[in-house]
Amino acid sequence: MDILKVIILSIIEGITEFLPVSSTGHLILANEFIKLNPEKFSNAFSVIIQFGAILSVVVVYFTKLNPLSISKVEKEKIPANYNKLNFQSKLYFLFKNYDKKTISLWIKVIVGVIPAFILGFLFDDLIDEYLFNPITVAFMLIFWGIIIILIENRNAKKENFKFNSMEDVDLKTSFLIGIFQCLAMIPGTSRSAATIIGAMLLGTNRKIAADFSFFLAIPTMLGATLLKLIKNISGFSLNQWALILFGSVISFFVAYFVIIKFLDYVKNHDFKIFGYYRIILSILVFIYFLVIK
């Protein structure tokens, strides 16, 4: 039964992690019906399996995030015998001709993740204790669902944006987007929704907002995962760690597929469908927990 629960929860994580619908919120709701035990393991599992989703982002964006990619070196600078060079010589050449735009992108990501690192470290335990519940999730689902719809309506006919490429985004804007990301510490908000909404409010187009959300996810989710690992490294059994590893593998493959499809989707569609979905789900959650249960 634990394996079946892990499969279901990991698929939910992989599907919802990078969509603006709140993966943590969905896992909290799912745990009401297919909960892993004990509760401490269940909460840690929901965070640690994000590691698989992180790796999927790295794979999808590897070339774009790699400053040592040969594809980013000007052709006239590449020696004719490059393919015949040994590994050390190729590495030396790539370090010597690193891509400055990619380094600049990483600096923006690091600046953007600072607020989440500080607040996450200070309030992680309090968030787990007081906010990990279905009612909090329901309130945040409907609130941010409405915000998504309002922002998309505002931008419906907008053609000119302050930031139309990642190079245009400055450090101040990166930091402000990072502050928006902190709102996602409240379950039901959605990390991707908070960063995408924040980026769009600050003047980016939808594509740049989605890309920057994915980039910020790497250090943010890695930091959250490492924090849970450090706190629980000796608290779980070998069987529990095996379940976490299994869940991470599943979340990787599911998240990889979702990212590819989502990137295609945002080219020609807005995010209002996710806003409507959040509102409908929120209403169902309220009905179940306040009326039926």
Side-chain angles (χ1 to χ4, degrees):
M1 284 302 297
D2 277 349
I3 292 178
L4 180 59
K5 290 177 182 178
V6 164
I7 292 173
I8 296 172
L9 292 172
S10 300
I11 291 174
I12 292 173
E13 158 64 23
I15 292 174
T16 59
E17 181 59 55
F18 298 108
L19 301 181
V21 296
S22 179
S23 61
T24 302
H26 277 74
L27 289 173
I28 290 173
L29 297 177
N31 279 330
E32 288 291 320
F33 306 97
I34 49 175
K35 191 175 184 65
L36 292 169
N37 292 305
E39 185 174 356
K40 181 180 179 182
F41 172 67
S42 178
N43 289 342
F45 174 86
S46 297
V47 175
I48 297 174
I49 63 168
Q50 292 177 347
F51 183 70
I54 301 170
L55 291 181
S56 69
V57 177
V58 173
V59 171
V60 171
Y61 284 100
F62 183 76
T63 299
K64 194 165 188 176
L65 293 172
N66 179 17
L68 304 180
S69 174
I70 186 64
S71 64
K72 296 178 180 179
V73 180
E74 296 177 12
K75 290 184 178 180
E76 56 270 20
K77 291 185 178 181
I78 303 175
N81 66 335
Y82 176 80
N83 290 328
K84 297 180 180 180
L85 297 177
N86 58 36
F87 176 76
Q88 291 86 348
S89 298
K90 287 182 178 179
L91 196 60
Y92 174 78
F93 172 79
L94 292 175
F95 268 106
K96 189 177 179 181
N97 294 275
Y98 69 89
D99 183 59
K100 294 181 179 179
K101 289 183 179 179
T102 307
I103 296 296
S104 175
L105 172 59
W106 273 109
I107 292 173
K108 293 171 186 176
V109 170
I110 292 171
V111 169
V113 84
I114 290 174
F117 273 13
I118 294 173
L119 294 181
F121 180 79
L122 293 176
F123 300 109
D124 180 62
D125 291 334
L126 291 174
I127 291 169
D128 283 358
E129 183 176 356
Y130 294 107
L131 297 180
F132 268 58
N133 60 76
I135 300 304
T136 299
V137 171
F139 273 115
M140 291 299 102
L141 282 172
I142 195 168
F143 175 77
W144 288 103
I146 293 171
I147 295 297
I148 289 172
I149 294 170
L150 291 176
I151 290 176
E152 285 292 9
N153 285 337
R154 187 198 72 166
N155 289 350
K157 297 181 179 180
K158 190 173 181 179
E159 296 181 357
N160 297 318
F161 295 88
K162 184 177 180 180
F163 305 108
N164 290 295
S165 71
M166 201 61 66
E167 289 78 17
D168 295 336
V169 179
D170 54 30
L171 293 180
K172 177 184 176 181
T173 304
S174 301
F175 186 79
L176 292 175
I177 295 173
I179 292 177
F180 273 96
Q181 180 177 235
C182 293
L183 297 172
M185 292 177 183
I186 304 174
T189 299
S190 169
R191 191 204 58 78
S192 59
T195 51
I196 288 172
I197 290 171
M200 291 176 69
L201 284 174
L202 292 168
T204 75
N205 62 35
R206 191 179 297 111
K207 177 64 168 59
I208 298 303
D211 281 344
F212 201 64
S213 175
F214 284 126
F215 299 151
L216 277 181
I218 298 174
T220 302
M221 293 164 60
L222 184 60
T225 301
L226 289 176
L227 185 60
K228 290 293 183 185
L229 284 172
I230 291 171
K231 289 184 175 182
N232 298 284
I233 192 68
S234 60
F236 298 146
S237 67
L238 185 61
N239 179 62
Q240 287 173 322
W241 283 115
L243 291 175
I244 289 173
L245 178 61
F246 182 51
S248 297
V249 172
I250 294 174
S251 70
F252 167 83
F253 286 106
V254 176
Y256 178 84
F257 176 79
V258 170
I259 292 171
I260 298 298
K261 293 298 181 181
F262 183 64
L263 289 174
D264 285 337
Y265 177 86
V266 299
K267 292 177 182 177
N268 301 302
H269 302 84
D270 59 33
F271 296 133
K272 283 195 284 188
I273 188 172
F274 299 110
Y276 295 130
Y277 168 78
R278 292 173 67 105
I279 293 171
I280 293 170
L281 179 59
S282 174
I283 293 171
L284 293 176
V285 172
F286 277 126
I287 291 173
Y288 177 78
F289 286 99
L290 298 181
V291 179
I292 297 176
K293 187 174 179 180

